[in-house]
Amino acid sequence: VFSFDGTTLTSIDVADTASNANGVWGDGEYIYVVDGSPGIYAFSFDGTTLTQEDLFNTGGSANDVWGDGEYIYVTDGTSTLALTFDGTSFTEVSRVASYTGTGSVWGDEDYIYVGDQDLIVAYTFDGSTFTELDSYDTLDDIHGVWTDGTHIYLANRSRGIRAMTFDGTSFTEID
């Protein structure tokens, strides 16, 4: 954890994880770190000290994490999981199997976007079940997904950054 006063970047605390930290996301109260085969960690931070609250083994190799305020979504190479965290422990709510190997996840208020090797897949989640709406073959591995609520941006390995839209039914690539 670092602080920045506009001039100086200062290290405040470090929490080691068992493997290789692959992704981080926070909900304003907890910090979630995905760490390969150990799974996903939840940490609290009181301004000076990181404290591990829980570790959940996803069963795969946790790659990325994002949350919508109610659920925490984790990709682990074999599936995408929806979890909850109550401040003490994670609970798995649901999972959906991947096509070839999930890597990245991000979403907006309507959809969850998962980079599944060279596919970008759009899902909805109703609190118990993932529903796939569409998938689009990008022809190269997706290493990152982010959306501003209008466009979906992909870090698409050798094909660079790509911008897409999703209308609830299908993806369209922006030239």
Side-chain angles (χ1 to χ4, degrees):
V1 177
F2 294 87
S3 67
F4 183 67
D5 64 8
T7 305
T8 305
L9 189 64
T10 304
S11 177
I12 298 173
D13 195 17
V14 175
D16 288 329
T17 58
S19 186
N20 297 310
N22 295 321
V24 61
W25 179 81
D27 62 9
E29 190 169 354
Y30 298 99
I31 302 160
Y32 305 97
V33 178
V34 288
D35 191 47
S37 60
I40 179 171
Y41 291 87
F43 290 96
S44 60
F45 182 66
D46 65 6
T48 59
T49 305
L50 283 164
T51 303
Q52 181 182 324
E53 303 297 341
D54 195 23
L55 169 61
F56 180 83
N57 185 334
T58 65
S61 182
N63 295 312
D64 203 9
V65 58
W66 173 79
D68 63 9
E70 188 169 355
Y71 300 100
I72 301 157
Y73 302 95
V74 176
T75 56
D76 78 350
T78 61
S79 56
T80 301
L81 293 81
L83 306 172
T84 58
F85 182 69
D86 64 7
T88 303
S89 60
F90 287 102
T91 301
E92 182 176 332
V93 178
S94 185
R95 72 171 56 216
V96 61
S98 72
Y99 283 96
T100 56
T102 56
S104 302
V105 62
W106 203 265
D108 56 32
E109 62 185 44
D110 297 311
Y111 307 108
I112 301 150
Y113 304 105
V114 174
D116 192 334
Q117 294 284 31
D118 59 345
L119 298 175
I120 181 70
V121 184
Y123 294 99
T124 57
F125 182 67
D126 66 6
S128 62
T129 305
F130 285 94
T131 301
E132 182 180 328
L133 302 174
D134 191 32
S135 63
Y136 181 91
D137 191 344
T138 66
L139 304 176
D140 207 346
D141 290 348
I142 297 170
H143 287 262
V145 176
W146 183 78
T147 180
D148 61 9
T150 301
H151 296 94
I152 302 113
Y153 302 93
L154 308 176
N156 202 200
R157 197 172 177 165
S158 66
R159 298 174 66 91
I161 187 168
R162 298 173 81 174
M164 308 189 82
T165 60
F166 183 70
D167 64 8
T169 304
S170 60
F171 286 100
T172 301
E173 188 164 358
I174 308 298
D175 294 327

